[in-house]
């Protein structure tokens, strides 16, 4: 993620493949405090997060969201539930 997330912005943690919500953070250390659905609150590096927003698949054009099928850990793009591809 290149920009710092807003308060209560939906995010997706790529290493754990789990959605979370931003609660704030520190700009100098590039850490974001995030709350997961199970109630766990962690400080996570900004580089490990992507916005949990609706985008279009680059291959088939269908709408895709990171929490539907997960995110490719290599290229950090959502996996399409229809065609199963990412940008790799």
């Amino acid at each position: 993620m290149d920009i710092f997330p807003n308060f209560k912005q939906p995010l997706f943690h790529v290493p754990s493949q789990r959605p979370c919500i931003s609660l704030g953070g520190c700009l100098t250390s590039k850490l974001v405090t995030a709350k997961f659905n199970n109630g766990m609150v962690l400080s996570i590096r900004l580089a490990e997060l992507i916005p949990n927003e609706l985008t279009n698949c680059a291959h088939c054009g269908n709408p895709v969201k990171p929490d539907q099928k997960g995110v490719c850990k290599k290229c950090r793009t959502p996996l399409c539930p229809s065609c199963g591809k990412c940008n790799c």
Side-chain angles (χ1 to χ4, degrees):
M1 203 168 169
D2 298 330
I3 57 171
F4 209 75
N6 295 325
F7 180 69
K8 293 205 174 185
Q9 179 179 350
L11 301 171
F12 194 82
H13 186 230
V14 176
S16 69
Q17 298 287 308
R18 294 172 51 197
C20 57
I21 295 175
S22 169
L23 298 178
C26 179
L27 290 171
T28 55
S29 64
K30 295 189 178 181
L31 289 174
V32 176
T33 303
K35 182 177 181 180
F36 291 89
N37 293 341
N38 64 358
M40 189 170 50
V41 178
L42 296 173
S43 289
I44 302 169
R45 289 184 297 152
L46 187 61
E48 296 178 351
L49 298 168
I50 63 168
N52 195 9
E53 299 170 347
L54 196 63
T55 58
N56 290 329
C57 175
H59 297 281
C60 65
N62 287 333
V64 61
K65 201 170 177 184
D67 60 357
Q68 288 176 329
K69 195 170 177 185
V71 174
C72 175
K73 293 182 181 182
K74 185 177 177 184
C75 68
R76 305 179 61 80
T77 56
L79 297 170
C80 180
S82 300
C83 66
K85 295 183 181 179
C86 62
N87 286 348
C88 289

